[in-house]
Amino acid sequence: MDTVLRYEMKYRFNNEMLYGHVENSIKLMERMLMDMCGPSDISLGIELRRVLLSKGKRLRPTLAFLCYKMSGNPAYAIEPLMCMLELMHTASLIHDDVIDNAGERHGEKTIHKVHGNLMAVQCGDYLLAKAMEQLHIYRGTGINEAMSDISQQMCIGEIQQIRSLFSMKKQTKENYFLQVKRKTAFLMGGSCYSGALAGGADPLKAEILRQCGIEIGIAFQLKDDILDIKGEKAFGKPLNQDLKKGVFTLPLLLAMETSPSKEITLLAEKREKTQLDIKKIIQFISDCKGVEKTQQIINECSEKAIFLLKSLKDCPEKEILKELAKNLANRKI
Amino acid sequence: MEQSNFYKKIEKMLEGDYKLLEASGYEKPTEIEKYAIYEAVLENYQGEKRRELAAACQCFYIFRKLHLLPDKQPESATLLGDYFFSRFSQCLIPIDSVKLIERFSDFLKEDSIKQTEIQGGFPKEHYIAFVKDISRQLEKTRRKSNGYGT
């Protein structure tokens, strides 16, 4: 779990015992993950250990854990599910880095940059095989079916995105939200849902938590899209990658809704953009308050998530989930 | 007749997936490749969800073949491969066999390591033999649980 979230959870709640429970399960999950990396004397095993030890937020396993504890009637162990979620997520990140030709992830060189595309893809596939090993634990719960449906949706989301790159006509606001749900929000919702089911929640409660997770996921992705435009250099992420790749995110789409511009459309659709092109588009977004309007939607998603939780019994985990919804929407990382 | 109906039903199940493959510029598996897999299941397993098993095996085959192409076509081969893996798991899970999932997981682990160490291409004959073996194993389990002799 990254430093900011740890700080928030430990000190804001002043609840060392609960903090300890979450952290303990995360640590156990991380030990289990290390055991799943394959032989330590071959490149695949070495690379997987390097990647799994890098500073990921462990957000999906954390969501699953919180919803598990909120359900209060645990029928299954939670750590294998946490592993499954983190394995699926890490495999998708490794493969995404090949697809995007990304050089770095969480401050580490990507596998394909070090060893080539084939190694990276096979590393991701190895993690999928390890995720499969956990399936038998959750037979008959609905968790396995949910995970494979989400996995298909994530792929469809990526495929649709690639097919509509550099096209303002195809990248409408409606399509944007559909992509956000498929690529990010459904897995976060699925993490909450599966954690709840493993914790013995009834279908209604599990569904409420899924919807909560989806709202958190939408807020998270929208914030990520704002950071790509306005992130701080201190965090070391190169800016404006979405624009360069031909992905039109909500700040731009909302700006275009406010003030349709043929000039900006032409610039955005250029496959090779100059620094000046990017600057003009960013200025346009700023003039039309695209970022502020996006932040408003983020706040609405965060509020929806918190509202959904109102119907559930009060408990410390529910408070943490509420704070998580607020913190992710406001994150600076 | 049974064989022809069986093949038609699997083709129907995977119709949309094959369209996606072709729309992305890849060729569908040949008739010989497809029918080798379907036959391997049909001849060795008589129980429920045979179509799902054949479809799962086909999707897994396409997934592995695509994931050997990331140097030539990093974007489409990786992404489509992931899609076919998700379809494989969607077809596999309803069969509800722990042993089957274990066998596929072991195959995938071994093959992933092999491809990074040797890069020998996807072992098609070895895979057909694997499909026959898991089908036989499923049949053995089915007969045992129905009280038939093995």
Side-chain angles (χ1 to χ4, degrees), chain A residues 37-57:
Chain A
C37 288
S40 56
D41 56 347
I42 58 170
S43 299
L44 181 144
I46 294 167
E47 284 303 293
L48 286 176
R49 278 169 182 79
R50 180 173 72 82
V51 161
L52 280 166
L53 275 176
S54 70
K55 296 179 180 30
K57 293 177 189 58

Side-chain angles (χ1 to χ4, degrees), chain B residues 44-130:
Chain B
N44 293 285
Y45 176 60
Q46 310 305 318
E48 286 180 5
K49 306 230 186 273
R50 275 198 296 182
R51 273 180 287 156
E52 284 78 359
L53 179 59
C57 293
Q58 180 68 265
C59 288
F60 188 87
Y61 176 67
I62 298 171
F63 149 62
R64 289 318 286 151
K65 278 187 65 176
L66 285 167
H67 273 196
L68 295 187
L69 300 174
D71 288 327
K72 290 181 197 163
Q73 289 140 326
E75 210 174 67
S76 57
T78 307
L79 190 43
L80 269 179
D82 285 346
Y83 173 83
F84 275 94
F85 179 81
S86 75
R87 286 292 288 132
F88 152 71
S89 63
Q90 279 181 325
C91 294
L92 190 74
I93 287 167
I95 301 170
D96 196 27
S97 162
V98 175
K99 196 67 197 165
L100 189 62
I101 292 174
E102 237 173 59
R103 291 289 308 271
F104 268 108
S105 168
D106 288 344
F107 186 101
L108 182 53
K109 279 181 292 187
E110 256 177 54
D111 193 56
S112 305
I113 292 175
K114 218 183 277 182
Q115 298 304 338
T116 60
E117 301 285 298
I118 305 168
Q119 297 180 31
F122 187 65
K124 195 173 109 189
E125 295 310 320
H126 174 59
Y127 181 64
I128 301 290
F130 167 76

